[in-house]
Amino acid sequence: MAGDDKLRAMKLLLVGGGGREHALAWRIRHEMPEVTLIAAPGNPGIATLAICVATAVSDVAGLVRLAQDEQVDAVIVGPEAPLAAGLADACIALGIPVFGPTAAAARIETSKAFAKALMHDAGVPTARASMHTTVASAKAAARQFGAPVVVKASGLAAGKGVVVAMTLDEADAAIASMLEENIFGDAGAEVLIEEFMTGEELSLFVLTDGETAVPLPAAQDHKRVGEGDTGPNTGGMGAYCPADAGDPSFTWRDGHLPHGVALVMDTIIAPTLRAMRERDMPFRGLLYCGVMLTPTGPRVVEFNCRFGDPETQAVLTALSDDAPLLRVMLQIARGERIEPVPVFAPARAVVTTVLAAQGYPATPRSGDTITVPDLPEGTWLFHAGTVMRDGALSTSGGRVLAATATGGTLAEAQQRSSALAAGVQFTGAFFRRDIGWRALARGA
Ligand code: AMP
């Protein structure tokens, strides 16, 4: 298979236009320099690696037409929205290989109620939870658990649908905002009241053909806007890889899969994939597992049906240069079986620091001109909220760039990532200088 892919220059369509897709575009071109890469819609960073076509990720019919017109060999889908809208289903119906699950399988992310029921039936360790459509029953459930308690909108809420309530008053307010004020619309018409779990979190990406699953090195995200993990939640202010959350059983040694990861594969990933097959919705693509390492073992916080952002920027650059990520992704896209090897070991430490726009996450300003520094060896500036305006690179979103750097140690990667971020100039730019702080405080 690898030979075939190398013999012939392929044409691929990459769907998305954020930092995650910029990192994917970089990795695809790194592994297959001859590839003809089309990105929809892409962004100014991706445009240095791919031909960008202005088809929105929400335009499923337009994306399918683009794939057909261009006769691409495969479609690789970054974000969840087109998957939820049936992009993979449409490609499969036309015989176009696609990396990403069907809309039915994507429900593992798009319906937290579905995911919770699946985990419950499959005996997968996760927080206890109950589902509610009325304020009274939701409030009663919150009281059964007691504070702190977690309130979650079941549907897709752009990463904002989770409230970790430290008091019952906070829980009540969150319940009312979702079920009465409908702040998330239909996505919040059903809420989960969930047991609060303690522990540190890891993001584990798993490539799967629906049956066999291969993990990538784990990363740790930083959701809070402020240093020391303070302030409101965001889409993610930075990530590092590899991460072990302070548990030595998750530490990579000599390129061997850590046994903590093997345990997660056996107790969480395998039964989840089996349950999906039993429901006639095999999950093919990338399964993102947010795992909490609790005192009673690893438990699932959430599943996503695609690569995470900004973890992807750290994970893909931490892989060894010859790791066959794209080859495995293309096998999955074609519906072929994958092998449980190779082991995707981290080759280096990476820190990615998100440069955000003033006012993020509430009301980010945009339209500011960006100046970028020269990139030293082993660094990347992945574009997320950028646009070319009158020939100048400008801000166009809350998370603007992901300043990514390798290091011989995590401390060095953090220092290089922060230095790179500090070299980027735009009005109101801010970033966290402490990505990886938990690991560094432990002396990693
Ligand atoms: P989610 O969107 O489900 O990943 O939730 C967002 C964040 O809320 C997670 O990254 C956790 O930090 C936190 N969280 C979610 N569920 C729980 C839980 N049951 N216990 C503690 N924290 C949680």
Side-chain angles (χ1 to χ4, degrees):
M1 215 41 62
D4 292 348
D5 289 346
K6 283 205 181 107
L7 280 177
R8 194 168 64 82
M10 297 194 115
K11 201 185 233 192
L12 301 175
L13 171 59
L14 175 64
V15 175
R20 162 185 50 209
E21 288 79 19
H22 189 178
L24 279 164
W26 167 78
R27 186 76 207 184
I28 290 168
R29 187 157 292 292
H30 171 79
E31 288 186 37
M32 202 186 275
E34 303 301 312
V35 70
T36 300
L37 187 59
I38 301 168
N43 65 36
I46 295 172
T48 64
L49 301 161
I51 303 155
C52 293
V53 177
T55 307
V57 299
S58 55
D59 181 4
V60 170
L63 292 168
V64 172
R65 220 166 26 243
L66 180 61
Q68 281 183 301
D69 290 350
E70 293 291 342
Q71 299 187 313
V72 298
D73 295 282
V75 178
I76 294 173
V77 188
E80 63 278 14
L83 294 167
L87 177 56
D89 306 71
C91 289
I92 291 165
L94 292 165
I96 303 169
V98 59
F99 184 84
T102 60
R107 289 184 71 209
I108 199 156
E109 169 169 1
T110 62
S111 168
K112 289 187 194 289
F114 169 86
K116 200 49 98 171
L118 182 99
M119 284 187 269
H120 182 80
D121 294 350
V124 170
T126 183
R128 287 180 296 133
S130 53
M131 268 65 98
H132 305 272
T133 51
T134 69
V135 171
S137 77
K139 285 186 176 178
R143 275 151 188 80
Q144 270 169 11
F145 284 119
V149 65
V150 185
V151 181
K152 298 187 175 183
S154 179
L156 281 183
K160 295 180 184 142
V162 175
V163 176
V164 179
M166 299 315 291
T167 63
L168 286 175
D169 282 348
E170 269 180 66
D172 288 352
I175 290 165
S177 72
M178 293 180 200
L179 288 178
E180 269 173 4
E181 294 148 37
N182 301 319
I183 60 165
F184 300 124
D186 284 349
E190 186 172 25
V191 302
L192 276 76
I193 304 298
E194 192 169 291
E195 169 196 8
F196 176 79
M197 299 187 289
T198 53
E200 219 175 290
E201 269 176 87
L202 286 177
S203 302
L204 186 68
F205 294 178
V206 172
L207 295 164
T208 177
D209 59 11
E211 212 165 323
T212 302
V214 185
L216 299 181
Q220 192 170 55
D221 188 8
H222 296 60
K223 287 271 180 213
R224 302 299 192 101
V225 76
E227 288 178 4
D229 293 334
T230 53
N233 259 316
T234 70
M237 292 298 291
Y240 66 98
C241 178
D244 65 12
D247 182 335
S249 73
F250 283 79
T251 312
W252 284 84
R253 287 192 183 85
D254 306 324
H256 295 297
L257 187 70
H259 55 267
V261 177
L263 178 77
V264 169
M265 297 304 288
D266 288 345
T267 60
I268 292 176
I269 303 299
T272 299
L273 294 176
R274 190 179 316 120
M276 294 295 281
R277 291 195 302 276
E278 284 167 5
R279 283 163 172 71
D280 276 334
M281 42 180 86
F283 186 98
R284 296 194 187 93
L286 186 126
L287 184 62
Y288 167 129
C289 183
V291 209
M292 185 89 81
L293 305 191
T294 75
T296 57
R299 295 165 81 189
V300 177
V301 179
E302 63 162 346
F303 285 119
N304 290 152
C305 65
R306 37 75 196 176
F307 283 95
D309 192 335
E311 295 99 318
T312 300
Q313 291 86 314
V315 173
L316 299 197
T317 50
L319 290 178
S320 65
D321 292 343
D322 59 358
L325 177 76
L326 180 62
R327 168 156 62 92
V328 177
M329 288 173 65
L330 289 174
Q331 287 176 327
I332 293 168
R334 294 188 200 108
E336 295 167 3
R337 298 299 314 275
I338 62 169
E339 298 294 327
V341 286
V343 171
F344 286 96
R348 50 188 80 89
V350 176
V351 168
T352 190
T353 300
V354 169
L355 275 138
Q358 186 183 319
Y360 179 71
T363 47
R365 55 181 276 160
S366 65
D368 294 300
T369 302
I370 307 168
T371 25
V372 297
D374 289 336
L375 293 180
E377 181 79 20
T379 67
W380 299 258
L381 267 180
F382 293 118
H383 289 231
T386 72
V387 68
M388 289 302 286
R389 182 179 299 176
D390 303 327
L393 188 67
S394 305
T395 62
S396 68
R399 293 192 292 172
V400 179
L401 292 157
T404 309
T406 61
T409 60
L410 180 65
E412 191 196 350
Q414 186 202 62
Q415 185 271 324
R416 279 167 34 93
S417 173
S418 288
L420 179 61
V424 176
Q425 314 271 312
F426 61 88
T427 306
F430 75 95
F431 60 94
R432 285 178 58 167
R433 290 177 181 273
D434 69 341
I435 304 305
W437 70 272
R438 287 176 194 277
L440 291 171
R442 282 190 288 266

